[in-house]
Amino acid sequence: MEVKHNIGFVTLLLTMIAGYCDTVTFVSADALFSAHVTGNFIVFAYQFVKGSDIHAWVKLLTFPVFILAVMAGGRIAGKVINHYTLLFWEGALLLSAGIIVAVFSYYGIFSEVVMYTVAMITVFAMGLQNAFGKLYAKETHGPTTMMTGNVTQASLDFGTLLSNGFHHPEAWASLKKQLITILGFLVGCFLGAYAGKQYGLVTLILPGLAMIICYFYHRKN
């Protein structure tokens, strides 16, 4: 199932959600990255040399959780017709994570265990989004959870435009696509930073709902 006329929108939505979730967990879950999990290696190394306790080791747990999520995404993709089924499960996980926070906070029993559990659920959800991007590359303009490759391509495109007096249609088209991913991720980071600081992990409900809506829209189209 390919909905080419919505590639720009899907790309923007996914990059915003990835930036949002990555920043929310970083701000509200002990500096833990949920989308760009390799970043947790850096945080772990820093906390380790600073003499941190066992909490630093939790960062390493994100890696096997992420791997399991990608493997699960591959299994799901092999059994469904609608590509966006992966996004439905991503949304269900994010929505569940936010609801868990809301329930435990309401009863005054929110703890570090709950916080890390919710963070790992978010990592799993982001793993599914990464699997979606790899399995269905034509559904987006590029990677939606890590911006290094997109920034590299945008830089190459800009260099091509400079050397051709900005008269290079292919480079313009590619640059516009990369800007959607980069700016979408940046906006998501700002929104996630604000939401995480003001309201915490409960705001994972929002990207969860967005993913589920995205799934049902593409199921009908």
Side-chain angles (χ1 to χ4, degrees):
M1 180 178 181
E2 232 173 273
V3 191
K4 292 188 176 180
H5 61 282
N6 282 323
I7 288 179
F9 171 75
V10 172
T11 300
L12 181 64
L13 178 64
L14 292 183
T15 53
M16 287 181 64
I17 285 177
Y20 183 98
C21 291
D22 216 20
T23 311
V24 163
T25 54
F26 188 84
V27 171
S28 303
D30 191 30
L32 186 148
F33 290 107
S34 54
H36 191 195
V37 292
T38 52
N40 291 317
F41 293 164
I42 299 170
V43 179
F44 164 72
Y46 172 75
Q47 292 181 337
F48 183 78
V49 299
K50 294 285 287 185
S52 297
D53 55 19
I54 195 172
H55 294 90
W57 292 87
V58 177
K59 304 294 187 303
L60 294 183
L61 185 59
T62 61
F63 196 62
V65 170
F66 182 84
I67 292 173
L68 289 173
V70 174
M71 293 171 62
R75 292 287 298 274
I76 293 171
K79 297 181 179 180
V80 299
I81 298 176
N82 188 341
H83 297 175
Y84 291 82
T85 300
L86 283 179
L87 300 186
F88 170 82
W89 287 112
E90 176 188 347
L93 286 170
L94 293 175
L95 181 60
S96 299
I99 291 174
I100 289 172
V101 175
V103 171
F104 277 84
S105 298
Y106 178 79
Y107 287 104
I109 52 177
F110 187 80
S111 64
E112 281 190 343
V113 174
V114 177
M115 178 189 73
Y116 284 124
T117 299
V118 167
M120 293 304 164
I121 293 174
T122 308
V123 170
F124 199 96
M126 290 295 100
L128 293 180
Q129 182 167 321
N130 273 274
F132 176 87
K134 284 292 184 181
L135 293 169
Y136 311 122
K138 293 183 179 180
E139 298 287 355
T140 63
H141 289 322
T144 59
T145 57
M146 293 176 287
M147 294 298 107
T148 305
N150 296 323
V151 172
T152 301
Q153 184 60 55
S155 300
L156 291 172
D157 293 333
F158 189 67
T160 299
L161 287 172
L162 283 176
S163 60
N164 288 274
F166 292 92
H167 298 294
H168 197 291
E170 292 81 7
W172 269 118
S174 179
L175 181 60
K176 289 176 182 178
K177 293 176 181 178
Q178 303 315 315
L179 288 178
I180 290 175
T181 63
I182 296 167
L183 294 178
F185 191 86
L186 180 61
V187 170
C189 287
F190 274 107
L191 293 175
Y194 177 80
K197 181 180 179 181
Q198 297 296 323
Y199 307 105
L201 294 171
V202 69
T203 58
L204 290 169
I205 289 176
L206 299 177
L209 289 173
M211 282 289 87
I212 292 174
I213 292 172
C214 180
Y215 163 76
F216 280 107
Y217 175 80
H218 287 91
R219 190 182 68 169
K220 294 178 180 179
N221 291 274

